[in-house]
Amino acid sequence: MKRNKIIDLINLESPKKNILIKGWVKTKRDSKTFSFIELNDGSCLKNIQIIVNDNYVDYSKIRKLKTGSALEVTGNMVASQGSRQKWEIQALTIEIIGSSEDSFPLQKKRHSDEYLRTIAHLRPRTNKYGSLFRIRSEVSWAVHKFFKDRGFWYIHTPVITSSDCEGAGELFRVTTLSDPLPMKEDKKIDYSKDFFGKESNLTVSGQLSAEMFALSLGNVYTFGPTFRAENSNTSRHIAEFWMIEPEMAFCNLNENMDLGEELIKNIVSFSLEYCSDDINLFSNFVDKQLIFSLDKIIYNDFIRIPYEEAVDILIKSKEAFTFKIVHGLDLQSEHERYLSEKVFNKPVIIYNYPKGIKPFYMRLNEDNETVAAMDIIVPRIGELIGGSQREERLDILEKNMEFLGLSKDHYWWYLDSRKYGSVPHSGFGLGFERLLMLITGITNIRDVIPFPRTPGSIDF
C-alpha cells in the first residue's frame, strides 16, 4: 500500500478508503470508549485526527501512547464530526514504529524560543518551527526560480578560500596543522607547511569568485553558506549563515538597486501566495501586523536617498541614538531602522557612501569622495541587502588596495580580470536568514536557521 501525505488527504473533495499514513503523535486524548490521536507527518501545518475505538485488538497499547511516538496507520477517511477539520480517519490498524518516552520535552503548551534553542534537534516538531522550515525550503526554491527566470547562471563558489572579501579579518581559519605547530623565524605560524601551502579560511562571501564568472557568463549568482568569526551576540548576527549573491556584467548602480528591490518584492509575494497556511501562523501568533507589513513592501516603491541626505535626516531628528550620527561614519542598525520605520515607514535604499567606510572593490564616484555603494534597509530588520557597482578600472582598484594595505600579489587573479576585457559590473549580497525574519516576523536570527552557530555554542 502506498503511503499518503496528510497535505494531500486534507484537500480531497471526497473521502478515500484503505489509506496508509505515517507520522508523529502531536497530541492524544481519551474518552471511555475512544482515543483521538492528532497525527502530523511534516507535509503541512495541519494534523489529521485518527479515531480508535475500544474494540481495537491492541487498544490497551493505544491508551498508553505518548506524545512524540511515530505511527503507521491504515484506515478509512470519514467526514469529521468536529469543526476544525474536514476529514478524520477511522483506524483499521495501527503500528507503533517508534515509541516515545515520558520525558519527551514538547508537550501541548507554549514553549519559549530561548528554551527551544536548547533542544534545536526537536524544535522542528513544533508548529512554529515546522512552519518556519517549510517556508525556508519554499523560499530557497523561489530564489533559484527568480534568477533562472531572468537568465542568470548558478555558480558554486568556494567555501574554503585564501581571500578576505570584506577585509574585516573576522575569519575562521582552516588548517590541518597540529601541535607542535611549525614556526617561522619571526615566531609566526609557518602556513607553508599547511595543506594548501598558505593561510586559508572559510569564506565570508562568494562575491570575488562570482565576479570572475559574471565577466564571462554575463549574469550569475551564488547562494550558499558563509562564515564570520564576529564575536557578537546580537539578535541579527550568527557565525554561519546563507547569502544570495548575484553579479551582473554591464550593470550600473541604478540597475543593481532595481534588481535588489525586485528580488525582495518577488520573494515576499511568493511567500504570501505559496506559503499562506504557514505564514498565517506567524501572522496570528508572532506579529499581528505581518501581512499588512508584507503587503506594503510589495505594493510600494522603495525610497532612494544618498548617504548624505540620510545622515542629515538623522541629525535633524534630534533622536537620542545610542550611537552618535556623524557624517563620514557608517550607519548603525538603530539609524537604519529609524529611517525605514519612523521617517519613511517603508524600505529605503541608501546609496553613495563615503569611500573610507566601504571595501576596496567598490567603484569610486566622480567626486572622489564616495563610492557607488547601496544598502537596502527594511523595517524591523535594518540592512537586508548590501551591494555596489564594482571598480572596473585597474589603476583605481590598485590604488584602493594600496591605501588599505592589501597585497596585490595575493589578489593577482582578481586584478587579472581588470586587465582582460574589464567592463562595468555590479552585484549585492542578501542575507537569507534576515529575509526569512522579514517574511515571518521572527525577531531573532537564531530562530530561522536549523542549528544556529554563535559564540560559545556549537551543539547539534
Side-chain angles (χ1 to χ4, degrees), residues 62-130:
I62 301 303
R63 299 283 287 199
K64 295 176 183 177
L65 270 178
K66 305 296 182 184
T67 301
S69 298
L71 306 182
E72 177 182 300
V73 179
T74 64
N76 297 320
M77 291 176 64
V78 296
S80 176
Q81 300 301 307
S83 59
R84 293 194 304 165
Q85 62 274 323
K86 183 177 182 180
W87 307 113
E88 56 193 23
I89 296 175
Q90 291 182 340
L92 297 174
T93 67
I94 296 179
E95 180 182 348
I96 302 173
I97 300 174
S99 60
S100 183
E101 298 182 5
D102 288 332
S103 58
F104 183 64
L106 299 174
Q107 299 300 324
K108 193 176 181 179
K109 65 176 184 177
R110 294 286 294 272
H111 297 285
S112 71
D113 292 326
E114 291 77 12
Y115 169 69
L116 291 172
R117 284 176 214 138
T118 69
I119 52 169
H121 58 306
L122 295 175
R123 68 179 179 171
R125 297 203 199 181
T126 65
N127 288 340
K128 178 179 179 178
Y129 287 96

Side-chain angles (χ1 to χ4, degrees), residues 437-460:
M437 291 169 69
L438 176 71
I439 291 169
T440 61
I442 287 177
T443 58
N444 196 311
I445 198 168
R446 294 169 175 84
D447 299 327
V448 293
I449 193 167
F451 299 106
R453 300 300 187 229
T454 55
S457 177
I458 192 65
D459 290 336
F460 315 108

Side-chain angles (χ1 to χ4, degrees), residues 61-309:
K61 289 184 179 180
I62 301 303
R63 299 283 287 199
K64 295 176 183 177
L65 270 178
K66 305 296 182 184
T67 301
S69 298
L71 306 182
E72 177 182 300
V73 179
T74 64
N76 297 320
M77 291 176 64
V78 296
S80 176
Q81 300 301 307
S83 59
R84 293 194 304 165
Q85 62 274 323
K86 183 177 182 180
W87 307 113
E88 56 193 23
I89 296 175
Q90 291 182 340
L92 297 174
T93 67
I94 296 179
E95 180 182 348
I96 302 173
I97 300 174
S99 60
S100 183
E101 298 182 5
D102 288 332
S103 58
F104 183 64
L106 299 174
Q107 299 300 324
K108 193 176 181 179
K109 65 176 184 177
R110 294 286 294 272
H111 297 285
S112 71
D113 292 326
E114 291 77 12
Y115 169 69
L116 291 172
R117 284 176 214 138
T118 69
I119 52 169
H121 58 306
L122 295 175
R123 68 179 179 171
R125 297 203 199 181
T126 65
N127 288 340
K128 178 179 179 178
Y129 287 96
S131 288
L132 183 281
F133 293 118
R134 278 189 295 270
I135 292 170
R136 184 178 176 115
S137 175
E138 290 291 298
V139 171
S140 297
W141 181 86
V143 167
H144 289 296
K145 185 178 186 302
F146 175 88
F147 288 112
K148 176 68 174 176
D149 289 347
R150 288 156 182 79
F152 280 69
W153 301 106
Y154 179 34
I155 307 300
H156 299 147
T157 51
V159 172
I160 301 175
T161 177
S162 63
S163 301
D164 179 4
C165 177
E166 298 302 314
E170 297 161 343
L171 308 171
F172 286 102
R173 292 275 178 252
V174 175
T175 181
T176 58
L177 297 176
S178 57
D179 290 331
L181 295 174
M183 309 298 288
K184 296 187 291 188
E185 290 184 1
D186 60 3
K187 296 185 179 180
K188 293 183 179 179
I189 296 174
D190 185 359
Y191 284 104
S192 68
K193 302 293 194 296
D194 207 347
F195 186 91
F196 295 107
K198 61 172 65 175
E199 289 186 53
S200 57
N201 47 267
L202 297 179
T203 185
V204 298
S205 169
Q207 176 200 315
L208 302 187
S209 299
E211 279 188 60
M212 303 303 100
F213 280 82
L215 296 174
S216 58
L217 300 183
N219 290 351
V220 303
Y221 74 103
T222 182
F223 180 13
T226 52
F227 309 85
R228 302 274 171 92
E230 183 179 5
N231 190 15
S232 174
N233 277 296
T234 75
S235 62
R236 300 169 64 248
H237 295 90
I238 43 178
E240 177 185 336
F241 54 98
W242 285 62
M243 286 279 283
I244 304 162
E245 299 180 282
E247 291 290 330
M248 297 80 70
F250 312 106
C251 177
N252 62 31
L253 182 64
N254 285 326
E255 294 166 318
N256 198 27
M257 291 190 283
D258 290 343
L259 185 77
E261 180 172 344
E262 184 184 4
L263 173 60
I264 293 170
K265 289 184 173 182
N266 179 277
I267 298 301
V268 170
S269 179
F270 171 92
S271 302
L272 289 174
E273 181 175 357
Y274 293 99
C275 307
S276 56
D277 284 349
D278 289 318
I279 292 289
N280 284 337
L281 179 143
F282 292 97
S283 178
N284 290 329
F285 298 105
V286 175
D287 181 357
K288 299 288 187 182
Q289 297 297 310
L290 181 62
I291 304 298
F292 175 73
S293 300
L294 296 180
D295 280 342
K296 281 208 309 185
I297 288 173
I298 296 171
Y299 297 113
N300 288 279
D301 291 336
F302 293 6
I303 295 292
R304 299 187 183 189
I305 57 173
Y307 165 89
E308 289 294 325
E309 183 179 335

Side-chain angles (χ1 to χ4, degrees), residues 1-5 9 12 15-22 48 50 72-78 88-90 92-93:
M1 189 182 295
K2 184 179 179 181
R3 177 190 170 197
N4 299 101
K5 295 285 187 70
L9 296 178
L12 291 176
K16 289 181 65 175
K17 301 290 186 182
N18 296 315
I19 61 150
L20 167 67
I21 61 172
K22 299 180 182 182
I48 199 161
I50 313 297
E72 177 182 300
V73 179
T74 64
N76 297 320
M77 291 176 64
V78 296
E88 56 193 23
I89 296 175
Q90 291 182 340
L92 297 174
T93 67

Side-chain angles (χ1 to χ4, degrees), residues 31 33-35 52-54 56-63:
S31 68
T33 56
F34 288 93
S35 287
V52 193
N53 65 37
D54 59 359
Y56 184 72
V57 62
D58 285 327
Y59 188 63
S60 60
K61 289 184 179 180
I62 301 303
R63 299 283 287 199

Side-chain angles (χ1 to χ4, degrees), residues 210-430:
E211 279 188 60
M212 303 303 100
F213 280 82
L215 296 174
S216 58
L217 300 183
N219 290 351
V220 303
Y221 74 103
T222 182
F223 180 13
T226 52
F227 309 85
R228 302 274 171 92
E230 183 179 5
N231 190 15
S232 174
N233 277 296
T234 75
S235 62
R236 300 169 64 248
H237 295 90
I238 43 178
E240 177 185 336
F241 54 98
W242 285 62
M243 286 279 283
I244 304 162
E245 299 180 282
E247 291 290 330
M248 297 80 70
F250 312 106
C251 177
N252 62 31
L253 182 64
N254 285 326
E255 294 166 318
N256 198 27
M257 291 190 283
D258 290 343
L259 185 77
E261 180 172 344
E262 184 184 4
L263 173 60
I264 293 170
K265 289 184 173 182
N266 179 277
I267 298 301
V268 170
S269 179
F270 171 92
S271 302
L272 289 174
E273 181 175 357
Y274 293 99
C275 307
S276 56
D277 284 349
D278 289 318
I279 292 289
N280 284 337
L281 179 143
F282 292 97
S283 178
N284 290 329
F285 298 105
V286 175
D287 181 357
K288 299 288 187 182
Q289 297 297 310
L290 181 62
I291 304 298
F292 175 73
S293 300
L294 296 180
D295 280 342
K296 281 208 309 185
I297 288 173
I298 296 171
Y299 297 113
N300 288 279
D301 291 336
F302 293 6
I303 295 292
R304 299 187 183 189
I305 57 173
Y307 165 89
E308 289 294 325
E309 183 179 335
V311 172
D312 285 340
I313 291 171
L314 292 166
I315 291 174
K316 291 175 182 176
S317 73
K318 305 297 184 181
E319 188 77 8
F321 295 115
T322 302
F323 293 92
K324 189 176 181 180
I325 181 69
V326 177
H327 282 280
L329 296 184
D330 209 356
L331 301 181
Q332 300 297 319
S333 177
E334 61 176 338
H335 307 140
E336 296 168 342
R337 291 190 59 181
Y338 182 83
L339 290 168
S340 63
E341 295 171 15
K342 301 291 181 63
V343 178
F344 297 108
N345 196 27
K346 65 168 78 172
V348 181
I349 307 179
I350 303 172
Y351 61 93
N352 287 352
Y353 282 80
K355 65 180 181 180
I357 61 175
K358 291 296 182 180
F360 72 96
Y361 52 75
M362 296 189 174
R363 192 182 200 277
L364 187 65
N365 287 326
E366 297 304 317
D367 60 12
N368 204 37
E369 297 294 332
T370 63
V371 290
M374 66 93 175
D375 290 336
I376 300 184
I377 312 303
V378 295
R380 291 192 295 104
I381 309 300
E383 181 188 334
L384 182 58
I385 282 179
S388 72
Q389 185 171 335
R390 314 312 189 189
E391 182 56 78
E392 84 278 10
R393 299 163 294 187
L394 178 62
D395 57 336
I396 297 177
L397 184 60
E398 288 181 329
K399 287 178 182 177
N400 289 346
M401 297 178 72
E402 289 171 1
F403 177 75
L404 295 170
L406 298 175
S407 168
K408 288 186 285 187
D409 290 338
H410 189 71
Y411 290 91
W412 66 269
W413 56 275
Y414 187 73
L415 294 172
D416 261 7
S417 67
R418 272 58 171 180
K419 296 178 182 178
Y420 311 122
S422 181
V423 302
H425 60 288
S426 301
F428 60 77
L430 186 159

